[in-house]
């Protein structure tokens, strides 16, 4: 029979467009956030991170925005390329003393870039 | 830098058999994590080691699962006996635990199929 799994949000864009992937996090005490990219058949790959004392951080073609008021994180990819097609995960770190920096991952967003 | 190394990359076994997954963390990293990824549940943390000592194994599903880290450069995750519901991709990740960084680096994963 058909299995039931997570229904991941999807985003389809044209090559060259800018992409914005959103993430809502749950713990207002989280002090560190990270975005990972996972291509088919591979492990999650670090893209960019941000600490809670910042609201914006830029990398190469990527920008992460943090809005602590509404507990929202976004990843912006400029001039999206077919090679950017992947599942993107956000993760938050609980700063609690016993949590040792445990990361809690979101369910992921599927990004498809059309040539 | 070779990154996190996992073996085997693929494992197919029959129900009831013992399965051993292996991980070599990035040299110099002192924290190691085992994760499981399925369509049903996404990315789940199974166990975390710091300086070769298991700190949190609350994510280990049941007694059939065990993990060891005999030294800083090697860890195993064992399933005995294996069951079809253990079929998943298992990832190992490592990190250098310092206050200034929380980034975990993932291996390529082991795809386990239990028939």
């Amino acid at each position: 029979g058909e299995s039931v799994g997570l229904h991941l949000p999807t985003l389809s864009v044209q090559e060259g467009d800018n992409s914005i992937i959103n993430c809502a996090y749950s713990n207002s005490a989280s002090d560190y956030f990270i975005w990972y990219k996972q291509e088919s058949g591979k492990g999650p790959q670090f893209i960019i991170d941000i600490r809670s004392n910042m609201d914006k951080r830029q990398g190469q073609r990527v920008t992460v925005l943090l809005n602590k008021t509404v507990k929202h994180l976004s990843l912006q990819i400029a001039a999206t390329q077919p090679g950017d097609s992947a599942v993107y995960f956000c993760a938050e770190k609980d700063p609690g003393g016993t949590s040792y920096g445990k990361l809690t991952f979101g369910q992921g967003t599927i990004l498809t870039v059309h040539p | 830098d070779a990154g996190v190394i996992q073996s085997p990359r693929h494992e197919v076994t029959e129900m009831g058999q013992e399965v051993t997954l292996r991980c070599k963390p990035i040299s110099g990293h002192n924290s190691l994590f085992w994760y499981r990824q399925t369509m049903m549940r996404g990315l789940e943390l199974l166990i975390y080691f710091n300086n070769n000592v298991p700190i949190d194994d609350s994510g280990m599903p049941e007694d059939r699962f065990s993990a060891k880290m005999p030294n800083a450069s090697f860890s195993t995750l064992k399933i005995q006996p294996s069951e079809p519901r253990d079929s998943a991709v298992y990832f190992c990740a490592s990190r250098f635990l310092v206050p200034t960084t929380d980034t975990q680096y993932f291996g390529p994963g082991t795809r386990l199929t239990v028939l």
Side-chain angles (χ1 to χ4, degrees), chain A residues 3-6 8 31-32 34 36 38 41-46 49 51 89 93 100-103 105-106, chain B residues 9 33 35 37-43 45 48 55-56 91 95 97 99-108:
Chain A
S3 62
V4 177
L6 295 173
L8 302 185
D31 66 350
Y32 173 81
I34 188 167
Y36 284 94
Q38 186 175 21
K42 297 183 179 180
Q45 177 186 5
F46 168 80
D49 58 2
R51 294 205 174 273
F89 293 94
K93 181 182 80 75
Y100 58 79
K102 177 180 178 179
L103 292 179
F105 285 82
Chain B
R9 293 296 312 277
F33 303 79
Y35 290 88
Q37 186 176 45
T38 62
M39 286 300 296
M40 291 289 292
R41 302 172 68 90
L43 199 60
L45 177 66
Y48 159 68
I55 303 299
D56 181 359
F91 290 104
R95 178 187 73 187
L97 183 59
T100 54
T101 181
D102 292 288
T103 306
Q104 297 179 23
Y105 295 90
F106 284 76

Side-chain angles (χ1 to χ4, degrees), chain B:
Chain B
D1 190 341
V4 176
I5 299 172
Q6 292 187 246
S7 64
R9 293 296 312 277
H10 302 274
E11 177 79 33
V12 180
T13 190
E14 292 187 346
M15 182 174 62
Q17 296 299 304
E18 177 180 295
V19 174
T20 300
L21 310 181
R22 297 173 175 80
C23 175
K24 176 178 170 58
I26 292 172
S27 179
H29 283 192
N30 54 4
S31 298
L32 185 138
F33 303 79
W34 281 101
Y35 290 88
R36 177 172 68 176
Q37 186 176 45
T38 62
M39 286 300 296
M40 291 289 292
R41 302 172 68 90
L43 199 60
E44 303 174 276
L45 177 66
L46 300 177
I47 188 169
Y48 159 68
F49 291 87
N50 189 44
N51 291 324
N52 313 335
V53 176
I55 303 299
D56 181 359
D57 64 355
S58 60
M60 296 286 263
E62 45 196 277
D63 292 346
R64 298 185 297 106
F65 285 68
S66 63
K68 294 182 179 180
M69 192 165 186
N71 57 64
S73 59
F74 183 67
S75 177
T76 60
L77 178 67
K78 184 177 294 186
I79 308 172
Q80 166 63 19
S82 59
E83 297 182 3
R85 60 191 170 124
D86 301 330
S87 298
V89 181
Y90 291 81
F91 290 104
C92 175
S94 72
R95 178 187 73 187
F96 183 51
L97 183 59
V98 291
T100 54
T101 181
D102 292 288
T103 306
Q104 297 179 23
Y105 295 90
F106 284 76
T110 295
R111 179 172 295 277
L112 173 65
T113 303
V114 183
L115 303 174

